[in-house]
Amino acid sequence: MARKPSKPHPGARDKATAQALVRWFKANAREMPWRPRPLGIKRDPYVVLVSEIMLQQTQVSRVAPAFERFIARFPTIESLANAPEPDILALWSGLGYYRRAKMLHAAAQAVVSDHAGTMPSTSHALKGLPGVGAYTAAAVASLAFHEPTAMVDGNVTRVLLRFDARRAGASDPKAIAWARSRADALIRHAGPTPAPTLAGEALMELGATVCTPRSPRCDVCPLRTWCVARATGLTDTIPTPKRTKQTPTVRAVSIVLEDHAGRVAIETRPAKGMWASMVQAPTIEWADDSRDATDVAREALALGPSAKLRERERFTHQTTHRRFEFTVLTVRVTDRMKRSIERQRPGLSWATREAIAGMGVSSVQARVLLNGH
Ligand code: ADE
């Protein structure tokens, strides 16, 4: 009697998958300035911390030049801990989500003050640092110390949901929690150190380059033999789409006030909230649709009829929680107007565009203050 083909043991599927991940990663890992060769050597934990925090909400192509500038200026955790915050924000320019830079600064200071300048070496201890969550802790523990812990973000969650054909959203906290334990179990089948580390980073790389949200390249995927979504035709329906909620619209007007010497007015945003402590052109936000940006600007700066406000552009800027509709106005100011404006906005100062370019400026305000110059 012919024997029925036996179902592979689940451990066997994981073992074959984890080993395939390592082979694939060795052949396909992208060159990145924070990824030393040969792959699998222990990395500098500080460099991992910086690069992985930068990569959390920003694309690789934007991170690469910023990372190199940042490490050149702050080569060690002490140099970062001792740096003034405005210098750090200035080097974070263009990466967005500046809270990350402040948390990174706080983490560096905590390492220096509470750990004698040496980064903790376990994911558990790393989670005790300010701003270091499960993802960053796993990245540092795994890439720098070879702890067999997988770094799991939305990309890895998507890979694993498809791999096991589970219907869930990739940013659903329950799915992410499931993916963390699933990924840890999977990478531990890869073999002796540093194979689990390589398998873990391979999952990240696979999610970024092959198992993409749309049009995944299953034909070149090292997991194709064992992927249940592929076998059952569910790749396009997993992960399930997230319900898109409408984000409220905020209107904003930024006024580029320029004096006869070519200096422009800047002010510092409040220490809390969106773009905290960053430099901007005087900017007023309001929610009432019916008001005109020019009227709002005139009123806020008490500009008389002799001030000629010109509209330079309008653009929208979407953040996680709000949609901003910006209007940019420009105006040439006389010395008399300057004095009156300064009385309205006490924190205001004047700087050349060259000086502003070296400060912490968000990409929105770089567009407002520096565009075309
Ligand atoms: N995205 C963020 N971190 C990554 C890493 N270490 N490897 C590949 N892609 C990544």
Side-chain angles (χ1 to χ4, degrees), residues 15 26 30 40 53 62 73 80 89 96 107 126 149 197 201 231 307 329 348 362-363:
K15 186 171 174 193
K26 284 182 174 164
R30 290 170 295 173
I53 287 181
R62 263 180 183 264
R73 172 76 174 71
L80 181 62
L89 293 177
L126 285 157
T149 303
T197 292
E201 201 177 13
L329 303 177
L348 188 137
S362 66
S363 51

Side-chain angles (χ1 to χ4, degrees), residues 25 30 32 34-35 43 51-52 55-56 60 135 143 151 153 155 201 204-206 208:
F25 189 57
R30 290 170 295 173
M32 293 179 179
W34 49 84
R35 189 178 269 169
R43 300 192 198 166
S51 57
E52 292 297 341
L55 284 162
Q56 271 169 46
V60 167
Y135 170 86
L143 300 172
M151 46 212 280
D153 66 353
N155 283 344
E201 201 177 13
M204 295 288 297
E205 193 81 350
L206 194 67

Side-chain angles (χ1 to χ4, degrees), residues 13-23 186-190 199:
R13 174 177 176 251
D14 276 13
K15 186 171 174 193
T17 300
Q19 292 178 344
L21 275 168
V22 174
R23 274 195 306 276
L186 179 63
I187 66 167
R188 283 165 206 209
H189 283 91

Side-chain angles (χ1 to χ4, degrees), residues 281-309:
T283 296
I284 299 104
E285 292 171 14
W286 72 103
D288 172 5
D289 244 13
S290 66
R291 300 195 66 202
D292 175 75
T294 310
D295 295 342
V296 171
R298 268 192 198 284
E299 187 185 308
L301 300 179
L303 295 172
S306 62
K308 301 244 174 319
L309 287 166

Side-chain angles (χ1 to χ4, degrees), residues 11 34 76 91 93 97 117 128 137 139 144-145 148 150 168-169 172 196 200 216-217 231 234 243 268 299 316 363:
W34 49 84
T76 62
L91 279 173
S93 284
Y97 299 97
F145 301 106
D172 169 0
R217 300 188 299 129
L234 290 173
R243 273 176 287 128
T268 306
E299 187 185 308
T316 61
S363 51

